[in-house]
Amino acid sequence: MHICWHMAATAVLLLGAHIPARGEVVSSTEVLYFDVVGSTPAEIYRNILDRGPRIGGSKSLASIGTRTVQDGGMAQTGDHCALTDYTITLEFVIRRPRIANENVLSDADRALWHDMNAFIQTHEDQHKDVWSACAAELNERMSTLKAPSCSELAKTADGLWRKMLADCDARQRSYDAEQSRQLMRQPFMQRAREGAGKH
């Protein structure tokens, strides 16, 4: 069982006479819930396995998908070309479980469920923070990027974009691997696995 993320990336760099402007990073977040049922942690655990998201074929407790888009133009001024109106957009889509009727749980199990939900939210926020940091670092580099010609600039900018995606992907995967271990140590998950006969 994992908490996973996935991404999609697109890039648009247009050759044109735009007014130079400092770049920016903008983001949006959409949270989608899938309802799960059960009166015990073990039943809820099994239902999450049945209804939860699949990332790369693996069953996940929750997921965060990120669509990254860069947009901007290029303008030749004298002996150099620079990016204009550069923007990085991060669109996050989060899927997480929601118990259809929490009142069927005991007070103790409901408290454990709320603790685990807080863990999941913190996990998702960290993924978003990592992406935001990656994008901010790239945006800072792009804001001062220049080349003798716009074709050279486009090639350099594309290389920096691809490197950012690869580096950030590696950071996200490393974080997920470490967090998956912590997830299984959550008291709710321990109760669920014990009740399901998974030690």
Side-chain angles (χ1 to χ4, degrees):
M1 180 75 103
H2 304 281
I3 308 176
C4 292
W5 82 284
H6 56 97
M7 72 170 182
T10 59
V12 179
L13 286 175
L14 304 173
L15 181 60
H18 298 272
I19 299 172
R22 184 168 180 82
E24 62 178 337
V25 178
V26 296
S27 66
S28 63
T29 303
E30 180 181 12
V31 180
L32 305 174
Y33 293 94
F34 59 95
D35 286 336
V36 295
V37 296
S39 58
T40 67
E43 290 175 359
I44 291 167
Y45 177 84
R46 284 193 294 267
N47 204 236
I48 290 174
L49 291 179
D50 290 339
R51 299 187 182 189
R54 303 290 193 271
I55 306 296
S58 298
K59 296 178 179 180
S60 302
L61 178 69
S63 68
I64 176 168
T66 307
R67 180 171 180 263
T68 59
V69 179
Q70 67 168 347
D71 190 9
M74 293 176 286
Q76 186 80 38
T77 305
D79 62 353
H80 71 270
C81 182
L83 294 175
T84 62
D85 303 322
Y86 185 74
T87 303
I88 297 175
T89 302
L90 304 174
E91 299 174 354
F92 302 107
V93 178
I94 294 169
R95 293 194 68 214
R96 67 168 71 132
R98 176 174 56 193
I99 298 177
N101 181 12
E102 290 188 14
N103 292 329
V104 300
L105 293 174
S106 69
D107 290 344
D109 285 342
R110 190 161 54 250
L112 294 181
W113 173 257
H114 289 164
D115 288 345
M116 192 173 73
N117 268 327
F119 173 85
I120 293 171
Q121 184 171 344
T122 298
H123 175 92
E124 293 161 349
D125 288 344
Q126 182 61 30
H127 271 306
K128 291 165 60 176
D129 288 346
V130 170
W131 262 119
S132 295
C134 291
E137 290 167 10
L138 178 64
N139 179 64
E140 189 64 28
R141 294 191 67 180
M142 293 293 202
S143 68
T144 59
L145 193 63
K146 294 179 182 179
S149 69
C150 288
S151 60
E152 291 178 63
L153 180 70
K155 184 176 180 180
T156 301
D158 182 65
L160 291 173
W161 171 253
R162 292 176 185 276
K163 185 177 187 306
M164 183 277 285
L165 294 178
D167 290 349
C168 206
D169 179 63
R171 290 168 63 180
Q172 300 284 13
R173 291 181 188 279
S174 175
Y175 176 66
D176 261 344
E178 188 273 333
Q179 284 282 288
S180 291
R181 291 188 291 271
Q182 289 195 27
L183 168 66
M184 301 317 295
R185 297 189 193 109
Q186 290 294 306
F188 184 90
M189 292 304 295
Q190 290 179 352
R191 288 261 296 129
R193 288 169 65 82
E194 289 166 4
K198 298 183 179 183
H199 300 283

